[in-house]
């Protein structure tokens, strides 16, 4: 069943922040966003994959996971300072900032499964050698982060792929 | 500015899959979802944080990142077989499956920044010692994965927090 792709959009002025090795226990994610909210930083997309392999570490062991989110480019310096100041409360190993990220989104309707749309979209970008840095979804939308310099090309590819006017 | 929370929902029959140490190069994500799409597996939420620290590994080094996604619980065994068969094409270190995951979502309108909603929502769950396994967002929605056994409690907490009828 061919999903209907209703639209494609690209937010080109995003900056990406990744915190590595956050402890996978209650309160850590809250500790990341509280100071950012307090500082009025505009956060757009958040993606955190699950800590895995905890069982291998032994019963009761706390796993670790990474967290990526985007902020408005003009908020990057402020967000970075915020997180550096809150480092002890949050508890992370690394803080990585990328100034030129673009968020590319595909909106589908009646997407019973994200798998079909994702594989077609990801395949098209892969053929153009465009790397997918992060992925975040909702029921009707798949958003990915790529490098800003690939944004226009990626939009053209997807518009062509889905037969939408670019 | 207090964001308006329009609704809270919980998908209780999700199963969660995490692939660890995927190579951060074009084509890998496509290789994950192509066989799943072919097998008709229903994929709901996808969350991938960005590979970080590549610079530390040296120019031209390929980073690694983890990827978490959910499938309908009845598709878990089939999805697992799919990914095991495609292991060489995808290239991952570990494949971790969790049968009882629940996806909790908060829908907001006029969420200029996700930071405010995220910090309040995450703080409330942290106080109840509910761990957030994964996070995925769209402009109007924040979805998190938690353990199924916390679903009812988490819903009650958020309904109370936002003054919505539980
Ligand atoms: C990593 C972070 O999301 C943690 N699991 C928490 O619940 O806050
Ligand atoms: C990890 C995976 O998303 C990879 N970066 C890709 O583009 O396919």
């Amino acid at each position: 069943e061919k999903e209907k792709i209703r639209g494609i959009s690209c937010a080109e002025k995003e900056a990406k922040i990744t915190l590595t090795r956050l402890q996978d226990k209650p309160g850590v994610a809250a500790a990341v966003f509280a100071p950012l909210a307090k500082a009025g930083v505009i956060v757009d997309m958040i993606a955190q994959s699950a800590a895995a392999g905890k069982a291998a570490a032994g019963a009761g062991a706390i796993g670790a996971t990474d967290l990526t989110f985007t902020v408005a480019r003009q908020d990057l310096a402020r967000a970075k300072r915020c997180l550096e100041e809150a480092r002890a409360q949050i508890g992370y190993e690394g803080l990585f900032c990328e100034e030129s990220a673009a968020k590319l989104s595909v909106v589908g309707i009646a997407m019973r499964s994200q798998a079909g749309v994702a594989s077609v979209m990801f395949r098209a970008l892969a053929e153009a050698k465009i790397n997918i840095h992060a992925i975040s979804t909702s029921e009707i939308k798949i958003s990915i982060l790529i490098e800003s310099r690939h944004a226009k090309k990626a939009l053209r590819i997807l518009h062509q792929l889905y037969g939408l006017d670019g």
Side-chain angles (χ1 to χ4, degrees), chain A:
Chain A
E1 44 166 307
K2 189 121 187 68
E3 285 87 0
K4 275 225 158 299
I5 295 307
R6 204 156 71 170
I8 300 164
S9 61
C10 190
E12 294 198 37
K13 300 235 179 311
E14 309 249 342
K16 159 176 130 251
I17 295 177
T18 297
L19 294 172
T20 58
R21 312 299 292 162
L22 291 164
Q23 285 198 298
D24 186 32
K25 62 176 187 183
V28 174
V32 170
F33 294 102
L36 293 173
K38 191 151 176 265
V41 168
I42 304 212
V43 171
D44 181 24
M45 168 179 167
I46 304 170
Q48 175 192 301
S49 53
K54 203 162 97 192
I62 293 177
T65 191
D66 299 349
L67 170 69
T68 291
F69 57 93
T70 63
V71 300
R73 214 169 265 178
Q74 66 268 21
D75 286 350
L76 184 60
R78 192 146 51 93
K80 188 167 187 268
R81 273 199 311 276
C82 243
L83 295 168
E84 283 166 343
E85 279 163 26
R87 184 173 190 160
Q89 287 88 345
I90 300 167
Y92 56 82
E93 191 174 282
L95 163 58
F96 299 87
C97 297
E98 169 54 58
E99 199 174 13
S100 41
K103 183 183 69 171
L104 190 61
S105 303
V106 161
V107 177
I109 48 175
M111 293 206 301
R112 192 164 153 273
S113 170
Q114 305 273 13
V117 180
S119 60
V120 168
M121 175 188 185
F122 297 170
R123 168 60 36 208
L125 297 173
E127 279 167 8
K129 307 250 184 297
I130 295 171
N131 194 35
I132 297 167
H133 293 243
I135 305 169
S136 199
T137 63
S138 72
E139 283 74 9
I140 58 160
K141 181 183 283 204
I142 295 178
S143 292
I144 61 172
L145 288 181
I146 60 175
E147 286 159 53
S148 294
R149 63 192 174 103
H150 293 314
K152 296 220 170 352
K153 182 177 179 190
L155 267 173
R156 256 203 326 276
I157 288 170
L158 294 185
H159 274 124
Q160 236 173 358
L161 178 71
Y162 295 120
L164 292 168
D165 283 329

